[in-house]
Amino acid sequence: MTGLDTPSTHRTAVSDDGTPIAYDEFGTGSPLITVCGATADRALMRPTAEAFGQHFRAVAYDRRGRGDSGDTAPYAVEREIEDLAAIIAEVGGGTVHLYGHSSGAGLALRAVVAGLPVERLVLHEPPYSPDDPGAQEEARGWARHLADRLDRGEHAEAIAEFFRSVGAPEEVVDQVRSSPMWPGLVALAPTLAYDSAVMDDLATGGVVPVDLARQVTQPALVLVGGESPPFMHEVGRRLADLLPAGSLQVLSGQEHVVDPELLTPVVVEFLRDWH
């Protein structure tokens, strides 16, 4: 979910289509760019980037349409890859590491296949659909329904339905609606369609992208929470097996969101040979 304490100052990269992309840096050393998922921005990713910044030159950025970044129409996943390329150029233009969380992991995977100079890749619970036709049709239905909601300007209901779709009980949805973060979340509603596009919900039902995964030759770590739903474990195992240099690590006792103090040692251990 969106953060509320976005720093008052930030750096800006300019993407190929002229869209300004806001980002913050923490620490020094090898660049490690964090890529957030749905309903998230750089403020929410900041604690993770700060923790990574104890070991790397960590970057948290607002994906287009979020926070202080711009949003040039029409949207395409390729534009988001260009956004990442612009940030990489700003932080030195050499190789970087990528950490992607949730649908941000799906974007990170696509960025690597597109040829961005990535040394190592961490994919934290990308929410692909399991190998189940019902789940895949559900993903297609979500993409169609979301597009309809957004076309009608029903942004608040789109956000509420997103939380329901990821398993939030109605009382939790009501709590979020009445919280100070609600207006910021509603402002992010159009970007739900961007994440759906990244995961390829409409075209493929959000399945694990076999052809893409097989093209990633870089060392890649797939992370899954030990307490996450069974389908997430199925997806994580399949993705790790498809990646030519992939590995899977289960974070015992954790769910989809992990405390940065617990997450950081795992990421550092994986990246240590390249630090």
Side-chain angles (χ1 to χ4, degrees):
M1 292 180 292
T2 185
L4 298 175
D5 59 344
T6 305
S8 57
T9 59
H10 60 268
R11 303 185 183 205
T12 302
V14 179
S15 198
D16 281 358
D17 68 352
T19 303
I21 304 297
Y23 71 97
D24 295 310
E25 291 185 24
F26 307 92
T28 59
S30 303
L32 169 57
I33 300 176
T34 62
V35 188
C36 65
T39 71
D41 58 12
R42 82 181 195 279
L44 188 70
M45 190 61 81
R46 185 179 185 180
T48 298
E50 286 181 326
F52 289 169
Q54 299 299 312
H55 308 272
F56 300 95
R57 183 183 178 186
V59 174
Y61 77 102
D62 285 329
R63 290 171 56 188
R64 62 174 52 210
R66 312 175 193 220
D68 292 306
S69 290
D71 192 15
T72 305
Y75 175 81
V77 175
E78 290 77 11
R79 303 294 82 75
E80 289 222 66
I81 295 171
E82 291 166 0
D83 299 344
L84 267 170
I87 293 174
I88 291 173
E90 285 292 324
V91 300
T95 57
V96 302
H97 306 304
L98 285 184
Y99 164 84
H101 180 256
S102 196
S103 53
L107 178 56
L109 178 66
R110 289 179 177 273
V112 171
V113 174
L116 269 60
V118 176
E119 200 78 64
R120 287 196 171 196
L121 177 66
V122 180
L123 303 172
H124 191 168
E125 290 210 349
Y128 293 112
S129 298
D131 189 17
D132 171 64
Q136 294 158 22
E137 184 51 41
E138 186 176 333
R140 293 187 183 95
W142 161 250
R144 290 190 292 264
H145 184 67
L146 174 62
D148 183 58
R149 285 285 191 196
L150 295 177
D151 285 346
R152 290 188 286 171
E154 298 171 352
H155 292 185
E157 194 53 40
I159 288 290
E161 290 184 0
F162 169 76
F163 282 108
R164 296 186 190 107
S165 75
V166 298
E170 198 60 37
E171 58 267 25
V172 172
V173 176
D174 290 340
Q175 289 171 6
V176 174
R177 278 184 181 275
S178 60
S179 73
M181 70 177 64
W182 182 247
L185 286 167
V186 172
L188 290 177
T191 67
L192 291 174
Y194 304 171
D195 289 285
S196 184
V198 165
M199 304 308 294
D200 211 14
D201 288 337
L202 187 59
T204 71
V207 298
V208 174
V210 174
D211 291 343
L212 292 181
R214 286 175 173 164
Q215 295 178 57
V216 177
T217 58
Q218 294 92 330
L221 175 65
V222 180
L223 297 177
V224 178
E227 300 303 312
S228 290
F231 88 88
M232 197 66 82
H233 288 256
E234 175 189 333
V235 165
R237 283 192 298 270
R238 184 160 189 236
L239 182 57
D241 288 343
L242 287 166
L243 293 161
S247 59
L248 174 69
Q249 185 163 346
V250 177
L251 303 176
S252 179
Q254 301 303 304
E255 297 182 343
H256 191 58
V257 177
V258 178
D259 186 309
E261 296 305 315
L262 299 174
L263 174 66
T264 299
V266 175
V267 173
V268 171
E269 176 72 15
F270 175 66
L271 300 179
R272 63 182 176 179
D273 294 338
W274 297 93
H275 180 43

